């Protein structure tokens, strides 16, 4: 394709450079650069002689260099400003709750909650009254909030006979009905192993009668004063007395002996 003599000359090499062409076919100058007034003025200034003294007085980067099409973009910029704009920035800090330490803290808290809950459910009811047993058998549970009052020998009692004993406690914030429910639910657990024959339950209000081998326990709560021999025991202001009697099965009435024997499958 021939050149158009009427086309404007290329500002670099003088070859006819039509406006519709994208690149000069002689020197490769692009149309965008050829039409840039700053570039054209820099080329014109580069063709004029310039004294060495004036060039030496100009600061670095203050004046465009001849033939540099992008000199106007750097005009007035110093080397320090250029470097500061592209300096490496420190990486952003990761939030604490997305770090490994945060995961470890959350795991520790969950483990602590599970451990405390397990202790409260399985172990605390057994340990809360461990100091209040005073020779009471380990297979009889005690509720929390109790205070030991007296351990009595009932061998002279006409009801329970020789070898029988009684423990007297106070229980805070519990009614006799709540005490009875506690023992109805706990005595029959495999941990304690008592049986509760239905035939002899309810013979006394809010009382629980349990059988185990050749021993019988009678447990009851009271919100009234109780006289046991020469002693009188008063319930606390917001609680009840807890009376636990252990007696040999052979000392009790035939009806109780039969019910206990049947409940134990003998």
């Amino acid at each position: 394709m021939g050149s158009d003599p009427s086309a404007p000359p290329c500002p670099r090499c003088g070859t006819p450079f039509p406006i519709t062409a994208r690149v000069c076919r002689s020197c490769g100058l692009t149309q965008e650069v050829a039409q840039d007034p700053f570039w054209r003025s820099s080329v014109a200034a580069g063709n004029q002689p310039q004294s060495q003294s004036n060039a030496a007085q100009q600061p670095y980067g203050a004046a465009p260099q001849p033939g540099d099409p992008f000199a106007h973009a750097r005009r007035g910029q110093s080397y320090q400003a250029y470097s500061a704009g592209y300096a490496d920035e420190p990486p952003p800090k990761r939030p604490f709750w997305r770090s490994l330490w945060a995961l470890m803290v959350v795991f520790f808290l969950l483990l602590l909650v599970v451990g405390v809950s397990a202790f409260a459910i399985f172990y605390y009811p057994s340990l809360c009254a461990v100091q209040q047993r005073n020779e009471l058998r380990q297979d009889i549970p005690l509720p929390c909030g109790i205070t030991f009052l007296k351990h009595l020998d009932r061998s002279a009692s006409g009801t329970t006979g020789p070898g029988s004993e009684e423990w007297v406690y106070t229980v805070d914030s519990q009614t006799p009905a709540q005490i009875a429910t506690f023992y109805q639910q706990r005595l029959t657990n495999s941990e304690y192993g008592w049986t509760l024959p239905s035939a002899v339950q309810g013979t006394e209000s809010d009382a629980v009668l349990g059988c185990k081998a050749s021993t019988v326990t009678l447990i009851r709560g009271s919100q009234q004063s109780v006289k046991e021999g020469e002693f009188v025991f008063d319930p606390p202001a917001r609680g009840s007395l807890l009376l636990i009697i252990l007696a040999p099965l052979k000392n009790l009435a035939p009806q109780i002996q039969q019910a206990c024997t049947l409940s134990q499958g003998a």
Side-chain angles (χ1 to χ4, degrees):
M1 179 178 181
S3 62
D4 183 4
S6 63
C10 173
R12 177 184 287 174
C13 64
T15 304
F17 191 4
I19 299 298
T20 56
R22 294 186 60 189
V23 181
C24 175
R25 62 187 181 85
S26 177
C27 65
L29 184 68
T30 61
Q31 192 67 251
E32 289 82 358
V33 176
Q35 298 302 324
D36 189 338
F38 292 100
W39 185 85
R40 296 172 70 92
S41 62
S42 66
V43 172
N47 294 330
Q48 298 176 2
Q50 185 176 12
S51 65
Q52 184 175 1
S53 60
N54 291 339
Q57 293 176 358
Q58 294 180 352
Y60 177 81
Q65 299 298 321
D68 186 358
F70 301 102
H72 68 281
R74 292 192 294 271
R75 186 175 299 166
Q77 295 182 358
S78 65
Y79 175 77
Q80 290 78 7
Y82 174 82
S83 301
Y86 290 89
D88 292 337
E89 296 181 359
K93 293 183 178 180
R94 178 179 296 181
F96 173 75
W97 292 111
R98 296 180 60 185
S99 64
L100 179 61
W101 283 107
L103 295 177
M104 294 178 64
V105 169
V106 172
F107 176 77
F108 174 77
L109 292 177
L110 289 176
L111 189 64
L112 182 64
V113 170
V114 172
V116 171
S117 301
F119 175 81
I121 294 173
F122 297 104
Y123 298 104
Y124 181 71
S126 300
L127 298 177
C128 64
V130 68
Q131 300 297 329
Q132 301 292 333
R133 286 201 161 270
N134 290 276
E135 301 180 0
L136 180 67
R137 291 171 50 152
Q138 293 294 326
D139 57 358
I140 296 182
L142 289 173
C144 294
I146 66 170
T147 301
F148 173 75
L149 295 182
K150 197 71 176 175
H151 179 198
L152 302 172
D153 182 3
R154 291 177 55 94
S155 296
S157 170
T159 305
T160 56
S164 59
E165 301 174 89
E166 182 175 7
W167 285 259
V168 183
Y169 300 89
T170 61
V171 186
D172 296 332
S173 304
Q174 291 197 34
T175 64
Q178 290 174 319
I179 294 174
T181 300
F182 172 82
Y183 282 100
Q184 289 167 357
Q185 295 175 348
R186 299 294 297 277
L187 281 176
T188 56
N189 290 350
S190 58
E191 179 182 358
Y192 303 109
W194 293 83
T195 61
L196 306 180
S198 58
V200 292
Q201 300 298 322
T203 57
E204 188 173 352
S205 177
D206 296 325
V208 177
L209 188 146
C211 305
K212 188 175 183 180
S214 60
T215 303
V216 172
T217 181
L218 177 64
I219 302 174
R220 67 186 181 94
S222 175
Q223 290 184 320
Q224 305 294 328
S225 297
V226 175
K227 187 177 187 302
E228 295 288 354
E230 58 184 23
F231 302 101
V232 177
F233 303 101
D234 297 318
R238 295 183 180 180
S240 304
L241 288 172
L242 170 61
L243 310 173
I244 301 176
I245 298 174
L246 289 174
L249 178 61
K250 64 182 181 180
N251 294 350
L252 303 182
Q255 179 185 1
I256 297 177
Q257 294 184 37
Q258 181 180 7
C260 287
T261 301
L262 292 175
S263 68
Q264 297 180 84

